[in-house]
């Protein structure tokens, strides 16, 4: 049995009289011990999936589908049961480390509070956290605890947050856009950090990112998202080296080292999605079928692809 | 620390500037001062002054000297002997008269400030947590009217209801707590509404921050998220507004004191204006401005205490 | 409680994760008509200004006609809101009082807006010693309670329409100057200004054509809300007997006269106050609405 199983997850946000379809009918499984990457451009719905797992989305969001974690459906848990899972069994490493730390509270308190309400000895927990901080390239962790977040650099903040998320050695770590907004140096540091986390803790990780370098470096399998649905899913090296879906191909050739060839056009409106393939308007090789029928996701060479023409490629 | 020294310096500068401003303001009417002194002290209000009497007074009070010299002497007296002028009407030192009236104003403004802070902050938090429910809407409409109704009108309405119709409290009087209720209520209503508005907005803004979501992801219970993570951040703009409200309270106190015959500096100011007792007017303005600046200085200290980014910035 | 926090998230999330440009049109009028409270306030304001403008024609009585035998009458069919201590019709006086309050308030706000804009522009655009000087003056003016200062000025100058406008404008301008200065500082750095500078346009042209139009929105918002505040100040000063001359019909002065008869004729206290509240509420709603429309980012949400 997989550690995490997502079945038919859809998320809609009501916006006035319409609804914005952020995620539509996404299903995938994450195996114990693997690092699973969700990649795609901003607004593709990947971060919404991460937040939906821990039920951190606003109440106004309409969520359907099932999320099975260790045999439990996370969507049918009581708030108190959910709290026991949050931070302990599943933790979230939020995007934007600067915003995720409370500016008026000392770092120490923000680390310590993870152990509150957990029937864990706080001192014992702090000792573990301090050790962890050292492992994650943070020097002099005791002093860091007496400082406030604004006194740290961006990279340090991210490590601090990683440390908080790993306090309980969670079964599943959801890392949401860890390299977003970091300068190139800190980005390289983030790759090191995640390699380290993977090696030292060997736990399962769901990595949400638009950073293909990071994904290639760390992920075992990758799902590519476009307009709220998965368009391609396969082993990381296969997706990134021999992509099948035209969108994945476009994404890769838009990388700076591949010549920065931009994808033409824009993502479709998420209020009124096109009838056919969502990528149709921007696709270089669309056919008549593509504008009429929405393609189903189908098996292809050991992976999954959502395209009418996958057999030709 | 450096910040506070700068603030204290600015405060001293402002007091000086206000002294200068009021001093020159009081002396803009050419030849007026001598006539005023004469009418009030020597010859009585009905008679008109003779040229001889006027020039006598002018030379005695150095009124023929240029204004800046007169101001220099005024400042010298004020700094060396605490003498900021003599009231025409009472024929006593202004400073002495102010000390007699100060306690009443401090009492009234202090009580109103306490009400504004306590009621405003708690109602604001409540309103934010009930966002868009009926109680929130009702509170918001009440605040809209609260900030729009003239304070003196509220005072009159309160008198009509509680003193004249229900005969619960006396209209005027000074000395015990019962007398304080109506004036403080009338004076604070505007500020309660203003503080509540800011608290609500700030609380909602804070609740949308990423560190609140992260705190949820850590598995903290709701009450801890609000009390620890939201409240302190949300209070930052509120503290500043409370400081500014002191200005409204002191301004409003002038009218409220007059209506309730409250023996404070405000009613003294109005009486002095009607009687054209200019040194007294100047003294009252100075006293009120100094109080306002002091309160805001205290607010600044409080603010630096709340926000580590300023303390260690 | 939980879902309040969630709704706050929702606002952020919508901005970040989902494209919602198609939901909200950007045109002013479209947004205006989406706000029912604003429409209501606008209609009420038009109605009220109309009443004030045509007060002499619609007033049932001459607002200044004394009829001592009809003094202190309760509201009735003849006198809808009753009469005052000189037997003058209260409704007619309130209507004519609207003229006084609105026109003085508009005048004060206009003077403050123009002065504040000019000085704020000068400070922000020229910087250096000009900025230093103007900024210190602004700081001083903003650092003590306005009503008190206005009181002191009126105390020296004496009652009168011109004096009142002068006193209130002296108190008000600094707010506008501060906001304008901040606006100019940020706009000055933008490309279209830089390109105008490099193409050799003179300062006045740049300020008039590029800076003021782009900086004025928050000042308009401020001015709208301020009209309400100024009306309150006028009423306060008149109530204390140091605002307008006794023969000018004004709401604050009416309240002051009415309060002598609170016991027997409380309506003389109630109605003028209601009129003040009503007008100030209208301008509060308008101001808030204008802010949402003209300055949609003022909530402070970052979009990235």
């Amino acid at each position: 049995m997989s550690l995490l199983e997502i079945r038919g997850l859809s998320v809609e946000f009501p916006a006035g009289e319409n609804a914005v379809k952020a995620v539509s009918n996404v299903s995938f499984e994450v195996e114990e011990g693997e690092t699973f990457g969700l990649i795609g451009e901003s607004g593709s719905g990947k971060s919404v999936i991460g937040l939906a797992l821990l039920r951190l989305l606003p109440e106004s969001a309409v969520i359907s589908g099932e999320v099975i974690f260790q045999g439990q459906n996370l969507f049918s848990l009581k708030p108190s049961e959910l709290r026991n899972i949050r931070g302990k069994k599943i933790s979230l490493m939020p995007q934007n480390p600067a915003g995720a730390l409370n500016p008026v509270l000392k770092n120490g308190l923000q680390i310590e509070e993870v152990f509150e309400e957990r029937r864990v000895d706080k001192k014992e927990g702090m000792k573990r956290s301090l050790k962890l901080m050292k492992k994650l390239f943070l020097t002099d962790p005791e002093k860091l605890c007496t400082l406030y977040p604004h006194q740290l650099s961006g990279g340090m903040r991210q490590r601090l947050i990683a440390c908080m998320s790993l306090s309980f050695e969670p079964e599943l770590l959801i890392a949401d856009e860890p390299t977003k907004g970091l300068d190139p140096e800190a980005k390289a540091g983030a790759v090191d950090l995640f390699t380290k986390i993977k090696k030292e803790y060997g736990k399962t990780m769901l990595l949400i990112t638009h950073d293909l370098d990071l994904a290639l470096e760390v992920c075992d399998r990758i799902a590519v998202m476009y307009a709220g649905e998965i368009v391609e899913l396969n082993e990381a090296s296969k997706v990134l080296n021999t992509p099948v879906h035209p969108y994945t191909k476009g994404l890769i050739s838009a990388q700076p080292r591949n010549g920065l060839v931009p994808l033409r056009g824009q993502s479709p409106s998420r209020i009124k999605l096109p009838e056919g393939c969502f990528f149709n308007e921007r696709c270089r090789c669309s056919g008549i079928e593509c504008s009429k029928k929405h393609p189903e996701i189908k098996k292809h060479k050991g992976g999954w692809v959502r395209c009418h023409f996958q057999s030709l490629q | 620390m450096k910040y506070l020294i700068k603030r204290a310096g600015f405060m001293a500068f402002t007091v000086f500037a206000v002294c200068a401003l009021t001093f020159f303001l009081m002396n803009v009417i050419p030849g007026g001062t001598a006539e005023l002194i004469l009418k009030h002290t020597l010859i009585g209000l009905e008679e008109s002054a003779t040229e001889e009497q006027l020039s006598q007074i002018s030379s005695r009070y150095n009124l023929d000297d240029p204004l800046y010299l007169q101001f220099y002497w005024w400042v010298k007296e004020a700094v060396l002997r605490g003498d900021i002028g003599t009231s025409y009407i009472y024929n006593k030192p202004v400073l002495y008269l102010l000390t007699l009236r100060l306690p009443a104003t401090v009492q009234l403004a202090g009580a109103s400030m306490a009400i504004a802070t306590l009621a405003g902050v708690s109602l604001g938090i409540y309103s934010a947590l009930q966002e868009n429910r009926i109680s929130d809407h009702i509170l918001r409409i009440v605040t809209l009217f609260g900030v729009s109704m003239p304070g003196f009108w509220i005072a009159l309405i309160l008198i009509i209801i509680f003193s004249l119709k229900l005969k619960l409290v006396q209209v005027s009087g000074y000395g015990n707590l019962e007398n304080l209720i109506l004036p403080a209520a009338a004076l604070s209503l505007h500020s309660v509404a203003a503080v509540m508005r800011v608290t609500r907005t700030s609380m909602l803004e804070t609740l949308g921050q990423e560190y609140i979501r992260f705190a949820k992801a850590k598995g903290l219970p709701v009450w801890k998220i609000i009390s620890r993570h939201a409240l302190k951040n949300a209070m930052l703009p509120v503290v500043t507004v409370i400081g500014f409200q002191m200005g409204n309270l002191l301004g409003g106190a002038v009218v409220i004191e007059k209506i309730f015959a409250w023996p404070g500096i405000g009613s003294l100011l109005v009486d002095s204006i009607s009687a054209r007792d200019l040194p007294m007017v100047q003294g009252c303005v100075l006293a009120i401005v100094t109080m306002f600046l002091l309160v805001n200085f205290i607010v600044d200290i409080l603010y630096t205490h709340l926000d580590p980014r300023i303390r260690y910035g | 409680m939980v879902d309040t926090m969630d709704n706050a998230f929702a606002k952020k999330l919508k901005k970040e994760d989902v494209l919602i440009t198609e939901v909200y049109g950007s045109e002013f009028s479209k947004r205006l008509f989406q706000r029912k409270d604003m429409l209501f306030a606008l209609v009420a304001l038009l109605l009220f200004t109309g009443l004030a403008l045509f007060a002499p024609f619609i007033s049932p009585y001459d607002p200044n006609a004394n009829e001592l035998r009809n003094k202190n009458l309760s509201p009735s069919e003849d006198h809808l809101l009753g009469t005052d201590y000189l037997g003058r019709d209260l409704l007619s006086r309130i209507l004519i009082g609207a003229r006084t309050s609105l026109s003085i308030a508009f005048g004060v706000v206009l003077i403050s807006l123009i002065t504040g804009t000019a000085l704020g522009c000068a400070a922000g655009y020229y910087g250096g010693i000009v900025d230093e000087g103007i900024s210190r003056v602004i700081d001083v003016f903003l650092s003590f309670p306005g009503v008190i200062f206005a009181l002191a000025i009126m105390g020296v100058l004496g009652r009168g329409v011109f004096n009142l406008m002068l006193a209130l404008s002296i108190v008000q301008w600094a707010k506008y100057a501060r906001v304008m200065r901040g606006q100019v500082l940020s706009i000055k750095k933008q490309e279209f200004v830089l390109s105008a500078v490099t193409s050799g346009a003179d300062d006045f042209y740049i300020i008039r054509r590029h800076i003021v139009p782009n900086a004025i929105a928050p000042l308009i918002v401020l001015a709208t809300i301020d009209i309400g505040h100024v009306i309150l100040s006028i009423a306060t000063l008149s109530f204390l007997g140091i605002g307008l001359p006794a023969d000018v019909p004004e709401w604050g002065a009416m309240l002051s006269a009415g309060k002598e008869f609170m016991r027997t004729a409380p309506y003389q206290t109630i109605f003028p106050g209601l009129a003040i509240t009503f007008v100030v509420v209208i301008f509060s709603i308008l101001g808030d609405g204008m802010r949402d429309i003209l300055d949609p980012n003022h909530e402070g949400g970052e979009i990235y």
Side-chain angles (χ1 to χ4, degrees):
Chain A
M1 194 180 68
S2 320
L3 179 74
L4 177 76
E5 212 182 317
I6 293 175
R7 290 189 204 136
L9 178 68
S10 298
V11 181
E12 286 183 9
F13 295 102
E17 292 179 7
N18 302 302
V20 177
K21 297 182 188 69
V23 175
S24 29
N25 200 14
V26 163
S27 305
F28 62 90
E29 289 168 18
V30 181
E31 304 296 334
E32 184 119 31
E34 82 168 331
T35 301
F36 189 92
L38 270 181
I39 64 175
E41 59 194 6
S42 307
S44 60
K46 54 192 194 309
S47 290
V48 175
I49 293 182
L51 294 175
L53 294 188
L54 277 175
R55 285 171 47 188
L56 290 170
L57 287 175
E59 199 117 299
S60 60
V62 184
I63 305 174
S64 59
E66 280 184 330
V67 174
I68 314 287
F69 174 75
Q70 291 183 325
Q72 272 179 307
N73 185 354
L74 292 183
F75 287 171
S76 57
L77 292 182
K78 278 186 274 177
S80 59
E81 294 171 327
L82 188 67
R83 270 215 319 274
N84 278 328
I85 288 188
R86 281 176 180 169
K88 196 172 174 187
K89 290 186 170 166
I90 304 180
S91 11
L92 173 78
M93 247 186 87
Q95 50 176 292
N96 181 14
L101 292 170
N102 191 327
V104 301
L105 299 180
K106 281 187 179 162
N107 298 324
L109 177 65
Q110 300 192 50
I111 299 171
E112 200 181 271
E113 67 180 359
V114 185
F115 301 107
E116 284 172 18
E117 323 261 320
R118 296 285 195 212
R119 298 197 201 92
V120 192
D121 187 33
K122 255 200 222 172
K123 279 185 190 156
E124 203 48 43
M126 271 313 272
K127 251 189 218 164
R128 254 194 298 155
S129 286
L130 290 175
K131 247 193 230 165
L132 186 65
M133 284 161 82
K134 268 184 197 145
K135 269 191 197 156
L136 298 181
F137 319 104
L138 282 167
T139 47
D140 203 358
E142 282 87 0
K143 198 186 162 222
L144 277 187
C145 289
T146 64
L147 297 176
Y148 287 93
H150 74 277
Q151 293 165 302
L152 309 183
S153 71
M156 278 159 100
R157 283 190 209 129
Q158 188 174 50
R159 272 134 222 256
L160 205 66
I161 281 185
C163 172
M164 289 175 199
S165 321
L166 293 169
S167 309
F168 280 96
E169 306 197 356
E171 317 284 334
L172 174 67
L173 173 69
I174 304 171
D176 188 2
E177 302 263 23
T179 51
K180 196 174 190 177
L182 290 183
D183 53 66
E185 205 175 317
K187 247 181 200 168
V191 175
D192 287 348
L193 180 71
F194 277 91
T195 329
K196 183 118 186 169
I197 291 173
K198 204 180 157 188
K199 212 167 73 193
E200 294 266 335
Y201 296 91
K203 296 283 177 185
T204 321
M205 196 165 18
L206 178 62
L207 182 65
I208 298 163
T209 183
H210 61 267
D211 184 340
L212 300 187
D213 293 334
L214 178 70
L216 183 62
E217 197 80 34
V218 196
C219 295
D220 300 312
R221 285 194 303 148
I222 283 178
V224 182
M225 292 202 57
Y226 182 76
E229 54 180 21
I230 294 181
V231 293
E232 183 163 4
L233 193 160
N234 208 340
E235 281 166 36
S237 55
K238 283 192 182 155
V239 171
L240 295 176
N241 296 327
T242 54
V244 180
H245 197 280
Y247 173 66
T248 319
K249 286 181 180 168
L251 207 59
I252 289 167
S253 39
Q255 290 289 298
R257 69 181 133 76
N258 296 334
L260 213 77
V261 184
L263 277 162
R264 55 188 178 141
Q266 280 186 328
S267 303
S269 155
R270 304 289 277 285
I271 288 167
K272 203 168 171 292
L273 282 161
E275 210 176 303
C277 175
F278 296 165
F279 190 59
N280 179 34
E281 272 183 35
R282 302 169 76 183
C283 190
R284 285 157 188 275
C285 41
S286 75
I288 308 161
E289 209 183 349
C290 299
S291 62
K292 287 189 177 149
K293 205 172 134 234
H294 188 67
E296 292 301 314
I297 194 154
K298 275 171 268 180
K299 257 208 150 83
H300 175 73
K301 288 186 188 164
W304 296 82
V305 181
R306 190 189 289 276
C307 179
H308 289 304
F309 294 112
Q310 78 254 44
S311 48
L312 301 175
Q313 287 153 2
Chain B
M1 228 21 235
K2 217 172 155 186
Y3 171 74
L4 287 182
I5 292 172
K6 218 174 120 187
R7 291 289 303 154
F10 174 68
M11 195 169 94
F13 170 71
T14 312
V15 171
F16 177 78
V18 171
C19 287
L21 218 58
T22 44
F23 186 87
F24 290 114
L25 186 68
M26 297 305 147
N27 291 290
V28 282
I29 322 155
T33 320
E35 201 173 311
L36 272 176
I37 295 176
L38 264 174
K39 283 195 168 174
H40 278 302
T41 52
L42 296 172
I43 55 172
L45 293 171
E46 282 77 27
E47 296 169 51
S48 56
T50 61
E51 279 298 315
E52 196 185 344
Q53 284 172 314
L54 278 178
S55 63
Q56 246 179 15
I57 289 288
S58 291
S59 60
R60 201 168 115 207
Y61 289 90
N62 298 317
L63 292 177
D64 294 327
D65 287 334
L67 263 186
Y68 65 89
L69 263 182
Q70 290 186 42
F71 181 58
Y72 169 73
W73 285 315
W74 185 86
V75 172
K76 206 170 149 192
E77 288 292 295
V79 174
L80 291 182
R81 281 190 267 158
D83 176 11
I84 53 170
T86 306
S87 160
Y88 297 155
I89 296 183
Y90 301 97
N91 208 8
K92 289 207 170 88
V94 167
L95 199 66
Y96 166 73
L97 292 166
L98 285 176
T99 51
L100 291 184
R101 299 291 197 109
L102 190 66
T105 296
V106 169
Q107 220 178 75
L108 179 61
S112 305
M113 182 112 162
I115 297 175
T117 310
L118 287 176
V121 167
S122 41
L123 285 174
I125 293 173
Y126 175 76
S127 184
L129 295 177
Q130 297 284 324
E131 195 197 7
N132 289 334
R133 298 211 190 126
I134 296 176
S135 47
D136 176 39
H137 285 304
I138 294 173
L139 274 173
R140 286 173 72 187
I141 292 171
V142 171
T143 16
L144 177 62
F145 280 87
V147 292
S148 305
M149 287 188 287
F152 57 88
W153 185 58
I154 296 166
L156 296 177
I157 300 290
L158 288 179
I159 290 177
I160 291 178
I161 298 174
F162 292 101
S163 302
L164 301 182
K165 298 283 174 213
L166 299 176
K167 297 197 172 21
L168 287 176
V169 275
Q170 285 182 316
V171 177
S172 62
Y174 171 68
N176 58 38
L177 197 64
E178 193 198 293
N179 294 329
L180 188 60
I181 298 173
L182 283 193
L187 183 54
S188 60
L189 188 80
H190 188 274
S191 300
V192 170
V195 171
M196 186 189 135
R197 260 188 167 186
V198 179
T199 309
R200 180 182 180 278
T201 320
S202 159
M203 193 72 188
L204 285 176
E205 161 96 30
T206 309
L207 288 176
Q209 296 294 320
E210 225 160 313
Y211 50 77
I212 299 291
R213 189 168 17 175
F214 188 39
K216 262 174 126 183
K218 280 177 181 171
L220 290 182
V222 172
W223 69 269
K224 256 191 191 166
I225 295 176
I226 289 172
S227 64
R228 180 183 294 162
H229 284 273
L231 218 52
K232 211 174 161 192
N233 281 290
M235 278 311 109
L236 291 174
V238 177
V239 167
T240 315
V241 167
I242 289 175
F244 280 130
Q245 280 306 313
M246 197 61 198
N248 281 338
L249 285 179
L250 288 169
V254 174
V255 206
I256 300 292
E257 284 182 6
K258 193 77 192 127
I259 292 175
F260 289 95
W262 192 259
I265 292 180
S267 50
L268 181 61
L269 174 62
V270 179
D271 294 340
S272 310
I273 289 177
S274 312
R276 294 185 71 77
D277 186 354
L278 295 185
M280 202 64 237
V281 172
Q282 190 185 11
C284 290
V285 171
L286 269 183
I288 293 173
V289 171
T290 313
M291 265 194 273
F292 176 65
L293 289 172
L294 270 177
V295 168
N296 273 290
F297 187 61
I298 295 168
V299 163
D300 272 342
I301 296 176
L302 208 67
Y303 195 96
T304 44
H305 195 75
L306 279 175
D307 191 348
R309 281 166 296 186
I310 290 184
R311 215 181 323 153
Y312 300 103
Chain C
M1 289 216 289
V2 189
D3 66 349
T4 309
M5 301 180 13
D6 288 336
N7 287 335
F9 284 143
K11 286 179 202 142
K12 288 225 127 182
L13 260 179
K14 273 190 223 151
K15 284 181 195 159
E16 287 170 21
D17 291 282
V18 195
L19 301 164
I20 51 161
T21 34
E22 50 257 84
V23 186
Y24 300 107
S26 57
E27 312 95 59
F28 184 91
S29 60
K30 200 168 162 193
R31 284 197 237 161
L32 178 75
F33 284 97
Q34 277 168 355
R35 301 216 16 159
K36 290 194 187 90
D37 55 340
M38 268 242 355
L39 271 183
F40 160 78
L42 216 59
V43 171
L45 177 67
L46 285 178
L47 210 74
F48 214 80
T49 340
L51 282 178
L53 276 178
F54 298 107
F57 308 107
I58 29 181
S59 294
Y61 295 89
D62 176 358
N64 291 319
N66 301 357
E67 258 188 89
L68 283 171
R69 66 198 154 87
N70 284 337
K71 69 176 182 184
N72 294 337
L73 288 180
S74 293
S76 66
E77 264 176 50
D78 289 340
H79 296 276
L80 281 176
L81 302 183
T83 59
D84 72 356
Y85 68 108
L86 292 174
R88 296 176 293 196
D89 181 56
L90 211 56
L91 175 63
S92 308
R93 285 184 69 73
I94 286 179
L95 284 178
I96 208 85
R99 285 184 135 188
T100 321
S101 291
L102 284 176
S103 52
I104 295 181
F106 275 122
V108 168
V109 168
L110 201 67
I111 296 172
S112 317
L113 183 69
I114 293 170
T115 323
T117 307
L119 288 171
C121 262
Y125 189 78
Y126 292 105
I129 195 150
V130 179
D131 184 23
E132 196 59 32
I134 295 177
S135 292
R136 284 296 83 75
V137 177
I138 294 175
D139 283 345
V140 170
F141 272 82
L142 284 181
S143 62
F144 56 92
V147 183
I148 299 296
F149 195 42
L151 267 171
I153 299 173
M154 291 305 289
V156 174
L157 298 181
R159 300 196 278 192
V161 174
F162 178 77
N163 291 352
L164 183 63
M165 286 177 77
L166 184 69
L168 289 175
S169 305
I170 290 176
V171 171
Q172 294 283 334
W173 70 272
K175 267 193 286 190
Y176 295 87
R178 167 168 291 180
V179 176
M180 191 64 191
R181 177 180 171 272
Q183 287 285 101
V184 174
L185 280 182
S186 69
I187 289 170
K188 202 169 71 168
K189 293 192 197 92
Q190 288 179 17
E191 277 91 17
F192 61 89
V193 177
L194 293 179
S195 69
V197 174
T198 34
S199 67
D202 67 82
D203 290 348
F204 184 68
Y205 177 84
I206 294 172
I207 289 175
R208 189 169 50 93
R209 288 302 293 267
H210 292 294
I211 292 188
V212 172
N214 286 294
I216 205 77
L219 278 95
I220 301 288
V221 174
L222 187 62
T224 314
I225 300 176
D226 241 15
I227 293 177
H229 290 172
V230 173
I231 289 176
L232 280 182
S233 302
I234 298 170
T236 307
L237 291 176
S238 297
F239 181 80
L240 289 172
I242 38 186
L244 295 166
D247 56 329
V248 179
E250 200 280 339
W251 295 331
M254 283 178 220
L255 274 171
S256 178
K259 79 170 191 296
E260 306 303 326
F261 308 95
M262 266 195 304
R263 206 175 290 270
T264 49
Y267 56 88
Q268 287 185 28
T269 312
I270 294 171
F271 292 125
L274 277 180
I276 301 175
T277 308
F278 182 67
V279 177
V280 181
V281 163
I282 290 176
F283 283 106
S284 291
I285 296 176
L286 280 180
D288 279 0
M290 296 270 271
R291 176 170 10 230
D292 292 346
I293 292 169
L294 291 173
D295 190 12
N297 289 331
H298 103 106
E299 250 189 334
E302 278 175 33
I303 305 167
Y304 44 81

